[in-house]
Amino acid sequence: LEKKGYYHWDISLSNILINKDNNIKIIDYSCLSNNNNISDNPGSFYFVPPEYLINKKLILDKFDVFSIGHILFILLFKCNLIKSSKCYMSKCWSFCKNDICNRNDCLSKYLDSLIDKFKIKKIYKKILINTVTFDYKKRFSINQLHEMLNNS
């Protein structure tokens, strides 16, 4: 989609199907947008990037990347990265004990403990840090994510 200038803007667990051959299918294109046609209400709350929820800022090539990173986090660790709007408003993760934290440093330490606990490849830490970061400028583009996943 992104290669053709389109963005799904509603990638969530409920919009992903896996068939018997383990092929992934994305469904529900009601929020599909491009540079000329931008959806009024993109995404499902837990999968919308923080810059949109906090400032209504749309970064076209980073929106779906955050959603994919959050889904990967849920699939790997069986828990949600963001539990409520408080996490967004305080700019903090659901697991963080601080009122305000250095989000990426906090996420990095948390991922280290989860990677050890679940015996996950370390490459997924790099993928997660660069997909679910609060700083969209540091977030992977869809092409960078695709390249990283192909190399994992």
Side-chain angles (χ1 to χ4, degrees):
L1 286 174
E2 283 82 6
K3 287 180 183 177
K4 295 181 180 180
Y6 288 93
Y7 303 91
H8 189 277
W9 284 10
D10 195 16
I11 296 176
S12 64
L13 291 170
S14 61
N15 288 335
I16 297 175
L17 301 175
I18 302 174
N19 70 15
K20 63 180 178 170
D21 298 323
N22 289 325
N23 294 313
I24 297 171
K25 303 288 182 187
I26 297 177
I27 62 171
D28 186 1
Y29 291 87
S30 61
C31 292
L32 188 69
S33 296
N34 64 20
N35 290 331
N36 301 319
N37 177 24
I38 296 177
S39 175
D40 291 337
N41 195 16
S44 302
F45 176 79
Y46 293 106
F47 300 97
V48 172
E51 65 273 7
Y52 181 76
L53 284 179
I54 295 168
N55 300 319
K56 297 290 185 209
K57 187 170 188 143
L58 288 170
I59 311 300
L60 294 176
D61 66 332
K62 307 286 179 112
F63 196 99
D64 287 341
V65 172
F66 181 88
S67 304
I68 292 166
H70 194 183
I71 289 169
L72 180 61
F73 184 92
I74 292 168
L75 293 174
L76 288 172
F77 305 120
K78 299 175 179 62
C79 64
N80 214 338
L81 187 58
I82 298 157
K83 291 187 178 167
S84 71
S85 59
K86 181 181 176 193
C87 296
Y88 280 120
M89 301 324 276
S90 65
K91 297 183 179 179
C92 201
W93 303 113
S94 61
F95 54 82
C96 187
K97 306 296 183 230
N98 303 321
D99 288 333
I100 297 175
C101 68
N102 176 332
R103 289 164 302 285
N104 283 346
D105 185 47
C106 189
L107 179 62
S108 180
K109 289 175 187 174
Y110 186 62
L111 287 175
D112 283 340
S113 69
L114 289 174
I115 285 167
D116 291 342
K117 179 179 176 182
F118 288 90
K119 305 205 182 329
I120 304 287
K121 288 182 184 179
K122 298 231 183 248
I123 188 73
Y124 291 113
K125 176 183 176 184
K126 183 173 184 179
I127 291 169
L128 286 167
I129 292 224
N130 289 290
T131 55
V132 297
T133 178
F134 267 73
D135 185 351
Y136 68 86
K137 292 175 185 168
K138 293 180 181 177
R139 194 175 305 140
F140 279 165
S141 68
I142 196 71
N143 291 332
Q144 290 171 307
L145 175 59
H146 188 262
E147 184 179 317
M148 187 65 73
L149 289 170
N150 281 339
N151 293 331
S152 65

